[in-house]
Amino acid sequence: LEEAARDADFVIEAAVEVLDVKRRIFADLDRIAPDHAILATNSSALVSSLIADVTNRPSKVLNTHYFNPALVMKLVEVVKGPHVSDETAEIAYQLCEKLDKVPVLIKKEVEGFLLNRIFRAISREAQWMLEMGVASVEDIDKACVYGAGHPMGPFRLNDLTGIDLTYTMAMEKFRATGDRAELPSPSVVEKYVLGHYGEKTGKGWYDYSEK
């Protein structure tokens, strides 16, 4: 970490979606990186205001959420929390453009930001319909692709991003709020316990073992 950050102008953290882990990393980055450096988290769930206070540069700490897979997807959410300076947000936005990405500025910190809030609503409905026996994984995905024009359905997308990430993010939100509605759905819990995380394990909502 020290070798990577000690001369950096802009640092992007992409560790596991666990708040304590990120806070430890940012405390270390604040010590290692130059005073002028901007420290960004790629988190899609944890807002930077939960992290910035462990640093001596809160105005230079923000979310820049690169969509997965980052080498393919163009969208980046630049999130301007109440502690983030206009200059920091502008530099982050311009950096995304220089990287040939398509940034969008989120003017207020809201959990889940912009697109993931929309995806979450779709995913919850999809999981409910699956668990209630309304339709199969395949047919729910087909409906989203051929009816709504999505590039892939919610279950195929979840296999790509990782069912383990879905589980971890839901559990972190439950721990933070105590709201049982934030717990992962039974079908997600089942996949997580079985170690069926999606493409990376060869099995998730779909079976990739023969590919």
Side-chain angles (χ1 to χ4, degrees):
L1 185 64
E2 187 159 350
E3 183 178 353
R6 64 188 174 198
D7 296 319
D9 297 315
F10 199 109
V11 179
I12 303 173
E13 164 274 323
V16 64
E17 294 276 17
V18 176
L19 181 58
D20 288 345
V21 172
K22 291 184 182 292
R23 285 175 64 85
R24 287 197 299 270
I25 291 173
F26 271 76
D28 288 340
L29 286 172
D30 188 54
R31 173 178 53 82
I32 296 167
D35 291 342
H36 70 271
I38 291 172
L39 308 181
T41 175
N42 188 51
S43 177
S44 60
L46 300 170
V47 294
S48 64
S49 60
L50 297 175
I51 301 169
D53 65 299
V54 302
T55 76
N56 292 311
R57 64 184 91 190
S59 67
K60 296 181 183 294
V61 177
L62 81 167
N63 290 80
T64 55
H65 175 219
Y66 290 73
F67 275 75
N68 186 41
L71 293 176
V72 177
M73 301 294 283
K74 289 282 193 180
L75 184 66
V76 182
E77 293 173 324
V78 177
V79 186
K80 189 179 184 301
H83 57 286
V84 179
S85 70
D86 291 341
E87 181 184 25
T88 296
E90 181 62 25
I91 290 172
Y93 195 97
Q94 290 177 0
L95 175 62
C96 293
E97 291 181 321
K98 288 181 179 179
L99 294 173
D100 197 29
K101 297 294 185 180
V102 178
V104 293
L105 179 64
I106 312 298
K107 298 178 182 180
K108 294 182 178 180
E109 257 189 1
V110 290
E111 189 276 326
F113 312 140
L114 195 159
L115 202 53
N116 273 351
R117 292 183 72 90
I118 297 170
F119 281 159
R120 186 185 303 155
I122 294 171
S123 294
R124 282 182 174 174
E125 286 300 309
Q127 288 162 11
W128 183 87
M129 287 188 287
L130 174 68
E131 290 165 5
M132 292 298 103
V134 175
S136 67
V137 164
E138 293 81 3
D139 283 345
I140 293 169
D141 275 359
K142 285 179 186 177
C144 290
V145 172
Y146 296 104
H150 295 182
M152 65 181 72
F155 292 107
R156 185 73 74 181
L157 178 62
N158 197 197
D159 274 355
L160 178 63
T161 58
I163 295 168
D164 54 328
L165 180 61
T166 299
Y167 176 88
T168 300
M169 288 168 58
M171 290 303 298
E172 279 293 300
K173 190 167 184 189
F174 168 68
R175 292 186 188 103
T177 65
D179 184 354
R180 295 187 64 82
E182 301 297 344
L183 286 167
S185 72
S187 55
V188 168
V189 173
E190 180 182 10
K191 295 291 184 187
Y192 181 81
V193 170
L194 291 171
H196 297 168
Y197 300 158
E199 287 189 12
K200 60 187 171 186
T201 61
K203 187 175 289 188
W205 301 110
Y206 293 87
D207 189 342
Y208 304 90
S209 59
E210 295 183 1
K211 286 190 175 182

